[in-house]
Amino acid sequence: MAPLNLNPNIAKPDDFYQELIDAQRDLDEDEVNLMNAKLILILANHIGDRDVLSEALRIARGDD
């Protein structure tokens, strides 16, 4: 099992954050929620490792 990487790992994180905010700029709350859900599923598919995904869910929920 590959461990979940919680260390900074995104090149130019401020630029990515701005891109994420810009992508949501003209969307209403429901559309933002749908976009975020789609993004999560796309990235989860890219990661592919169920143990890593389960660990991420636990951490995001605050269970760890």
Side-chain angles (χ1 to χ4, degrees):
M1 168 176 81
L4 181 63
N5 181 5
L6 297 177
N7 296 315
N9 194 36
I10 299 173
K12 300 181 181 178
D14 291 337
D15 291 346
F16 173 73
Y17 180 76
Q18 187 62 54
E19 187 175 355
L20 179 61
I21 296 305
D22 290 346
Q24 298 175 349
R25 185 166 316 282
D26 297 325
L27 304 179
D28 65 31
E29 185 176 353
D30 287 340
E31 292 169 324
V32 167
N33 290 336
L34 180 59
M35 180 194 152
N36 287 339
K38 288 178 179 180
L39 181 58
I40 289 166
L41 292 173
I42 290 166
L43 294 174
N45 182 68
H46 177 75
I47 292 166
D49 186 315
R50 282 296 311 274
D51 291 333
V52 169
L53 295 170
S54 293
E55 183 180 358
L57 286 171
R58 283 191 303 277
I59 292 169
R61 186 177 157 91
D63 291 346
D64 282 352

